[in-house]
Amino acid sequence: MQLDPASGWCQGVCHCPSPNFNARPSGEISLLVIHNISLPPGQFATGKVQAFFQNRLDVTEHPYFEGISELRVSAHFLIERDGTVIQFVSCLDRAWHAGVSSFEGREACNDFSLGIELEGTDELPFTDAQYQALIALTRQLQAAYPGITGHRICGHSDVAPGRKTDPGPAFDWMRFRSALQHTGEIQ
C-alpha cells in the first residue's frame, strides 16, 4: 500500500468511494481516530459496512439497520478481519466519522482528523492481520501528514467520551504504539 499525498488516496488498497464527505475547512490533517464497527453488530465479512458508508444499506435485512438508516457517515478507511484495507474518502477530504467530538479542547475533530474503522467490537480481540495492516497504514499516514504524531493518535472514545466506547477495551494500544515506534518488523 502506498499513499499518494497529492490525491489523498492509497494505491494497493480497495477503493469504495462514499458520498458522505465534504471539503476540510483547512488543509490541516493532524489527528488519527481509531474506531470499530460491525454490521450487524458482532457479525463480520458481511459487506454491510461498505453498504452503510455508501448509503446503500437495505434496512429490511436486519432489525438493527432500521435504527441507523437515516445516518450519513463514513470513515477514510476500514480494515477488515483478514487485514484487507478499504478506502472510502480521500485523506484530503473530511469524512464524517467522529461526530460531536473534541480533542485537547478543540471541537469538530472531523475538520482535522483521519478516521480508521477496524471491523470488530469493543469486546472481541482484533486479528493479527488487522494490527499489521493498521500499523502499515498508520506509518504511511504519519509519513504524509507529520502532524499525526504518536500523541495525536486516539480512539473514538477519547474524542467523544460518554457517547462512544470504541475501539474498546479489546484494542491493544500497547501493541499498536510499540510497533509504531519500531521501524523493523511489524509485530
Side-chain angles (χ1 to χ4, degrees), residues 73-166:
V73 297
S74 62
H76 292 90
F77 300 94
L78 168 68
I79 302 175
E80 296 182 319
R81 303 295 285 179
D82 66 0
T84 298
V85 177
I86 301 169
Q87 186 170 6
F88 295 92
V89 175
S90 165
C91 293
L92 302 181
D93 289 317
R94 176 173 48 189
W96 304 340
H97 61 97
V100 176
S101 54
S102 174
F103 183 79
E104 295 185 339
R106 187 171 174 193
E107 303 290 323
C109 293
N110 286 342
D111 291 354
F112 55 95
S113 69
L114 298 174
I116 300 177
E117 294 275 3
L118 298 172
E119 186 178 36
T121 69
D122 287 6
E123 299 81 22
L124 292 175
F126 296 93
T127 68
D128 289 342
Q130 285 180 298
Y131 283 107
Q132 290 170 4
L134 177 61
I135 292 159
L137 176 58
T138 301
R139 286 179 176 156
Q140 288 279 318
L141 297 174
Q142 288 184 301
Y145 310 110
I148 301 174
T149 62
H151 170 70
R152 296 185 66 84
I153 299 173
C154 64
H156 198 187
S157 58
D158 297 313
V159 299
R163 187 174 69 82
K164 294 295 180 177
T165 58
D166 57 313

Side-chain angles (χ1 to χ4, degrees), residues 3-67:
L3 178 66
D4 173 16
S7 70
W9 288 94
C10 274
Q11 304 310 311
V13 304
C14 180
H15 293 171
C16 189
S18 170
N20 302 328
F21 72 93
N22 58 358
R24 290 185 186 278
S26 71
E28 179 187 352
I29 300 171
S30 63
L31 182 67
L32 179 60
V33 180
I34 309 296
H35 306 258
N36 79 50
I37 190 169
S38 55
L39 292 174
Q43 295 183 31
F44 307 130
T46 63
K48 301 306 177 192
V49 174
Q50 294 88 320
F52 181 47
F53 286 173
Q54 291 187 309
N55 305 332
R56 297 185 298 106
L57 194 60
D58 182 350
V59 298
T60 65
E61 289 183 14
H62 192 277
Y64 182 80
F65 297 166
E66 290 180 23

